[in-house]
Amino acid sequence: MATAGAPVVRAARAATATLAVLGVSAGAHQLGGGQAPGAAAFVVLALVLGPALWLVAGRRLRTAGVLGVLASAQVVVHLGLLSMAPGHGTGTAAHHHGAALLGTGAAMPPMTHLEPRMLLAHVVATLALTLLLARAEDALWHVVSALLPPAAAPLRSPLVPRLAVPLVAVRPLGRTPRPVGGRAPPLDADLLWVGYDGPAWLRGGSSVVVGRIAMDLDAWDRADRLSRENAVGRRLDTGGPVTGGGVDAPADLAAVDELGFHRIDDAAHLRRAHASAPHERFLRRPYSYDDGTGAASSTGLIFVAYQADPVRQLVPVQRRLAEMDLLNLWTTPVGSAVFAVLPGARPGELLGEAMLT
């Protein structure tokens, strides 16, 4: 998860994983016939596992990732305990496979191979810990997203700095057109509602385009903050343009830095999606989504756009984004569809009656 990249959170996640792996591994060894390792062995193995787990603690892990990390850690712990057993090196851990210390202080000879019982104990321990940590990872992600929306929203979806509620309106024919606002700037009525130059059955109605865009959050999380803000053209903390201001502030596309380069990159999503003509405007509403959990989890954006003529208003913008958009490094269009929004019905009429007459 993106918030895992914070040093304090990352250290806590790495420490928790280290203690969990060592504790479960020790238990598996005891169930498999071995003796619990001593404190010295724990310290040595913690120093080996800690840095490795730190490297993977900076990103959100799916179930398959957790399983891979834990399986590798189990192998490291087993080999480490075996190497520190009497007759295999330092002996400080007093680790024995197959026998516990006798009352006289003598010990059975240590095993030099992995018995089925020990292997089964490690496999069961790995699967159980994988299930536990994967569930905890998903729960933590959802809790952070629910309790800290200002911090989590820019990380989950860089295009949605705050929740946007769709404005779905039905305007009966004959009423005075008025600009449609919401959180976006007011939109001229002729850009949202189909006028008398459109199909008779859709006059007074509109159209809506719904698109699904998948996003590789793991790759996105690996990019540094400056790279992500440069790709979007907006600050991740406020959602405002990198040229300054809040989320509703207009972007200064002409602003340049001290070297003469545009402050909003020429391939930034904000610049490429910006209307180059007055008619290239529409009412847009984005929603982030996260389907399921585990290795099959899918994260991305549902994009909804309302306009009178999608070919004239939306298609030119989409063509620019397809030609060049830095966000395309992390996003993949999945599919889209266009729907007609029927006009409202006059008294005595049925909704959509004009389609049948």
Side-chain angles (χ1 to χ4, degrees):
M1 57 192 295
T3 52
V8 175
V9 178
R10 187 173 185 176
R13 285 161 55 85
T16 300
T18 301
L19 293 176
V21 169
L22 291 177
V24 171
S25 298
H29 272 272
Q30 287 182 292
L31 291 175
Q35 185 181 2
F42 267 111
V43 172
V44 172
L45 291 173
L47 292 177
V48 173
L49 289 176
L53 293 176
W54 164 270
L55 294 177
V56 300
R59 53 180 293 185
R60 183 185 182 186
L61 293 178
R62 307 295 185 184
T63 302
V66 175
L67 178 60
V69 170
L70 294 183
S72 302
Q74 286 281 337
V75 173
V76 171
V77 171
H78 175 78
L79 295 178
L81 292 177
L82 184 62
S83 66
M84 289 184 282
H88 291 81
T90 64
T92 57
H95 175 71
H96 299 269
H97 287 280
L101 289 174
L102 302 177
T104 61
M108 296 293 290
M111 295 180 182
T112 57
H113 62 280
L114 188 63
E115 288 192 339
R117 179 183 175 186
M118 183 65 69
L119 177 61
L120 178 61
H122 278 294
V123 170
V124 172
T126 300
L127 294 178
L129 188 57
T130 296
L131 180 61
L132 177 63
L133 292 184
R135 293 290 181 88
E137 183 86 346
D138 292 331
L140 178 62
W141 175 255
H142 289 297
V143 168
V144 169
S145 299
L147 299 182
L148 302 175
L155 299 171
R156 288 178 58 85
S157 175
L159 306 182
V160 191
R162 61 178 180 179
L163 179 64
V165 179
L167 175 60
V168 179
V170 176
R171 179 175 61 89
L173 285 173
R175 294 190 180 179
T176 303
R178 61 183 180 85
V180 178
R183 292 180 177 174
L187 189 67
D188 295 337
D190 61 347
L191 295 179
L192 180 61
W193 307 110
V194 177
Y196 286 96
D197 57 342
W201 62 271
L202 195 56
R203 291 171 186 168
S206 187
S207 71
V208 57
V209 175
V210 181
R212 182 184 178 106
I213 306 170
M215 183 167 190
D216 186 351
L217 274 184
D218 290 335
W220 175 257
D221 292 344
R222 289 193 293 269
D224 61 82
R225 179 177 182 138
L226 181 61
S227 297
R228 288 183 282 179
E229 291 185 338
N230 185 66
V232 179
R234 293 184 177 275
R235 292 178 54 89
L236 294 183
D237 54 353
T238 66
V242 294
T243 51
V247 66
D248 294 323
D252 185 357
L253 299 179
V256 296
D257 59 19
E258 60 276 6
L259 298 177
F261 293 103
H262 282 135
R263 293 187 60 192
I264 298 178
D265 194 281
D266 290 342
H269 181 80
L270 187 154
R271 180 182 293 275
R272 301 298 295 174
H274 192 272
S276 60
H279 66 269
E280 293 182 358
R281 293 182 296 139
F282 38 86
L283 187 63
R284 66 186 75 192
R285 289 294 183 262
Y287 303 88
S288 58
Y289 71 85
D290 192 345
D291 290 344
T293 58
S297 179
S298 175
T299 306
L301 189 78
I302 298 295
F303 179 80
V304 182
Y306 301 88
Q307 61 280 303
D309 186 347
V311 174
R312 180 171 179 263
Q313 297 171 239
L314 180 62
V315 170
V317 177
Q318 294 301 311
R319 284 176 176 166
R320 285 198 300 272
L321 295 176
E323 291 170 356
M324 183 172 60
D325 179 9
L326 286 174
L327 269 185
N328 291 339
L329 295 172
W330 298 278
T331 60
T332 303
V334 177
S336 62
V338 183
F339 302 91
V341 180
L342 296 176
R346 296 188 179 92
E349 289 184 346
L350 297 176
L351 185 64
E353 181 176 327
M355 297 178 62
L356 306 176
T357 57

